[in-house]
Amino acid sequence: MIQYLPFEKPIEALDKHVAELSAHAEGTEEARMLRERADKLLADTYARLTPWQRTLVARHPQRPRFEKLVAGLFEDFLPIAGDRVFGDDQAIIGGFARFEGRKVVVIGHVKGEDTPGRLKHNFGMARPEGYRKAIRLMELADRFGLPVVTLVDTPGAFPGVDAEARGQAEAIARSTEACLALGVPLIAVIIGEGGSGGAVALAAANRVLMMEHAVYSVISPEGCASILWRSAAQAATAAEAMRVTAGDLLKLGVIHRIVYEPRGGAHRDAAETVKRLTLALRAELNALSALTPAELRCEREEFFLRLG
């Protein structure tokens, strides 16, 4: 059952009406017309989402995240644990896999699917050992000549005292540096939230793809509102001003490509979302496979220097 967001209340009411009518008069002209009306309302609503509404969609609890996307996109996924320094952070998972028969390394943030999972994975907020694990995996990919695909979905790196004590800022910087130094193709996909340096640490890529209803920003709208207006209640205003959406970021040149979602968001059709991501990844991997290690590094460096 779909969980409806606050702005979807009219859609929810119409869907319930359709379900009730279909239960008693399935196949009738009235039921068909009402279904068409509900579909049109859903399409119209998602065609004019505000930046704040897109933020809510990016955080939707039923949105397909790392585990579901990896299962749909890749075969033979073999996770690698630990950073060989401190421990194994569960907010970032990565390992070897195959994409349409091609060997790759996959790394991504994991938010968790339910309350125990979210606690286990710390809501996708990685500690230093998570970023050091990502560095370890990128170095292995470079050594064996394997393309890297990262799935970015985090509100930001974990800001706790223990993370800072173990060198959070240094770990994020080193992970970003490792991305830029790779001699193999690196494709990053912003699948939900792309928050601050915690996202960039896995997204300094040759190609930065972004799901249509994902968001990517230096700070969350609530965090920005708390700083500028001293109130998180202004989050919608902040989201509008920050230009966090895929459309805005493509115009600004911050990302390379938008992966469009099924009508009503990825959470309404995970299988179709996987198909669209597969097409995008195939095209980008094929294009990047023709470049030499030096060309890949130069292209990546020029893209991010141009942003500055």
Side-chain angles (χ1 to χ4, degrees):
M1 180 180 291
I2 293 293
Q3 293 184 34
Y4 292 87
L5 295 168
F7 66 86
E8 294 180 309
K9 293 303 180 184
I11 299 170
E12 180 180 14
L14 198 52
D15 280 346
K16 286 182 177 178
H17 192 183
V18 170
E20 291 169 0
L21 185 61
S22 297
H24 296 93
E26 187 174 359
T28 66
E29 182 66 14
E30 184 181 1
R32 184 189 64 78
M33 291 178 63
L34 196 60
R35 179 71 268 169
E36 289 180 355
R37 182 182 165 195
D39 290 343
K40 185 177 186 304
L41 178 61
L42 179 66
D44 289 347
T45 299
Y46 272 75
R48 56 174 188 271
L49 292 181
T50 66
W52 176 242
Q53 288 170 338
R54 289 188 191 275
T55 303
L56 297 178
V57 176
R59 296 171 177 171
H60 196 288
Q62 294 175 315
R63 190 171 179 82
R65 304 199 182 277
F66 181 86
E67 302 100 317
K68 189 169 289 186
L69 293 179
V70 166
L73 291 167
F74 305 100
E75 305 100 36
D76 303 326
F77 178 60
L78 177 65
I80 301 298
D83 66 342
R84 294 190 173 178
V85 176
F86 181 84
D88 185 36
D89 182 46
Q90 290 295 304
I92 291 180
I93 301 293
F96 298 98
R98 293 180 185 272
F99 175 75
E100 298 187 325
R102 187 192 323 236
K103 294 178 182 178
V104 297
V105 167
V106 183
I107 309 169
H109 298 95
V110 183
K111 282 188 168 181
E113 299 291 335
D114 51 24
T115 299
R118 292 181 187 111
L119 293 173
K120 175 184 176 181
H121 298 289
N122 201 33
F123 301 87
M125 297 186 292
R127 292 175 168 85
E129 47 270 26
Y131 294 106
R132 292 180 178 129
K133 176 166 61 177
I135 294 168
R136 178 188 168 203
L137 281 160
M138 284 188 270
E139 289 175 345
L140 286 171
D142 215 9
R143 184 181 306 167
F144 295 111
L146 304 178
V148 179
V149 177
T150 63
L151 303 177
V152 177
D153 189 13
T154 179
F158 184 61
V161 174
D162 61 329
E164 297 297 337
R166 293 198 296 276
Q168 183 72 290
E170 185 268 349
I172 290 172
R174 293 289 185 189
S175 184
T176 306
E177 180 184 42
C179 289
L180 295 171
L182 278 175
V184 295
L186 171 56
I187 299 172
V189 187
I190 315 298
I191 61 173
E193 288 184 277
S196 193
V200 175
L202 298 186
N206 293 97
R207 296 289 185 274
V208 182
L209 281 56
M210 192 167 170
M211 299 298 296
E212 179 184 5
H213 301 309
V215 292
Y216 192 22
S217 61
V218 71
I219 191 172
S220 69
E222 296 94 328
C224 176
S226 295
I227 292 170
L228 295 182
W229 290 281
R230 300 290 190 269
S231 171
Q234 294 291 329
T237 304
E240 187 77 40
M242 290 164 62
R243 304 177 74 176
V244 300
T245 67
D248 283 336
L249 294 171
L250 184 65
K251 291 176 185 176
L252 290 169
V254 174
I255 64 171
H256 296 86
R257 179 175 183 162
I258 299 173
V259 180
Y260 290 94
E261 300 183 23
R263 181 180 58 198
H267 57 281
R268 281 187 164 83
D269 194 341
E272 179 62 24
T273 299
V274 167
K275 288 180 183 178
R276 297 183 185 196
L277 270 173
T278 298
L279 292 173
L281 287 176
R282 181 193 302 154
E284 299 298 352
L285 282 170
N286 288 340
L288 292 171
S289 64
L291 301 181
T292 67
E295 289 171 334
L296 289 166
R297 293 188 190 99
C298 184
E299 180 188 76
R300 211 177 291 132
E301 182 179 336
E302 288 180 354
F303 176 75
F304 286 96
L305 286 175
R306 188 165 60 248
L307 290 181

